[in-house]
């Protein structure tokens, strides 16, 4: 051994002696449950849906793992299904009404349209925020912000356009509900 190797060995021996003197002992492996999952590697983009549900403190964003990046249409389908079991256990719920018919989602550059079989003026502010924020969060292009995406809700002969999500709540950009054009 070289002088440097002897110094390292001496330091290691002194450290072990000090630790043993302090009562630190070795232990066996202790099982405490399932291993951690869901950690992403550096540079890896996790596919997930961003959904907005109600919590005791207000509208909040949650994520659900997905096999691929989801757009607004798939995210709205998940929103309509409501919180999953884990989310319900955490106290999350939805204010989105049950809808017997289909909801149609269309997307464009920084725009999402949600057409539903429900008078959109009857949606609570919470339900409106859930729709708008879920749609916008899943259509934000890279380099843009969630409030850059404008959402239009239509149904029951009424259109509410240019809604934006900011701080988990939907706000009108400038318009009030207007009658939908008749076909």
């Amino acid at each position: 051994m070289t002088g440097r190797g002897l110094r390292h060995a001496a330091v290691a021996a002194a450290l072990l002696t000090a630790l043993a003197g302090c009562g630190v002992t070795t232990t066996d492996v202790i099982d405490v449950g399932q291993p951690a999952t869901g950690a992403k590697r550096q540079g890896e983009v996790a596919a997930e849906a961003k959904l907005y549900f109600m919590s005791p403190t207000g509208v909040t964003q949650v994520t659900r793992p997905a096999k691929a990046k989801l757009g607004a249409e798939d995210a709205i389908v998940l929103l309509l299904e409501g919180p999953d079991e884990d989310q319900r256990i955490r106290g999350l719920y939805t204010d989105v009404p049950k809808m017997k018919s289909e909801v149609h989602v269309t997307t464009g550059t920084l725009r999402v349209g949600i057409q539903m079989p429900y008078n959109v003026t009857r949606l609570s502010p919470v339900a409106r925020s859930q729709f708008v924020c879920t749609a916008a969060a899943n259509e934000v292009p890279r380099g843009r912000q969630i409030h850059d995406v404008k959402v239009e809700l239509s149904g029951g002969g009424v259109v509410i356009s240019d809604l934006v999500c900011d701080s988990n709540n939907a706000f009108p950009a400038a318009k009030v509900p207007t009658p939908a054009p008749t076909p």
Side-chain angles (χ1 to χ4, degrees):
M1 246 187 210
T2 66
R4 183 180 221 175
L6 287 173
R7 278 194 302 266
H8 287 299
V11 169
L15 182 61
L16 286 173
T17 304
L19 288 175
C22 292
V24 176
T25 60
T26 60
T27 63
D28 291 330
V29 174
I30 301 169
D31 287 329
V32 291
Q34 297 294 322
T37 61
K40 62 180 185 173
R41 295 183 184 136
Q42 188 171 1
E44 180 183 338
V45 177
E48 59 192 16
K50 295 174 182 136
L51 307 174
Y52 286 77
F53 291 116
M54 191 63 186
S55 76
T57 59
V59 178
T60 188
Q61 182 194 76
V62 297
T63 58
R64 275 202 205 150
K67 293 183 182 188
K69 182 180 178 338
L70 298 181
E73 186 172 6
D74 295 319
I76 292 296
V77 169
L78 292 174
L79 177 69
L80 290 168
E81 291 173 1
D84 64 21
E85 184 178 345
D86 289 339
Q87 292 161 343
R88 284 190 303 274
I89 289 170
R90 290 185 3 227
L92 300 177
Y93 59 96
T94 185
D95 208 32
V96 171
K98 299 264 187 238
M99 296 193 196
K100 295 179 178 142
S101 300
E102 231 175 276
V103 172
H104 298 283
V105 178
T106 56
T107 60
T109 304
L110 296 175
R111 298 203 68 78
V112 178
I114 304 172
Q115 207 260 311
M116 59 190 75
Y118 189 86
N119 183 334
V120 293
T121 58
R122 290 185 168 173
L123 289 172
S124 71
V126 169
R128 199 172 300 142
S129 293
Q130 286 183 260
F131 275 116
V132 170
C133 292
T134 295
N138 289 282
E139 284 295 325
V140 177
R142 178 171 265 169
R144 299 302 291 258
Q145 300 293 318
I146 190 171
H147 60 264
D148 292 334
V149 178
K150 291 197 168 90
V151 178
E152 178 179 278
L153 300 175
S154 63
V158 178
V159 175
I160 306 174
S161 58
D162 292 335
L163 294 167
V164 293
C165 180
D166 191 25
S167 302
N168 299 342
N169 292 298
F171 295 99
K175 295 186 179 182
V176 216
T178 58
T182 52

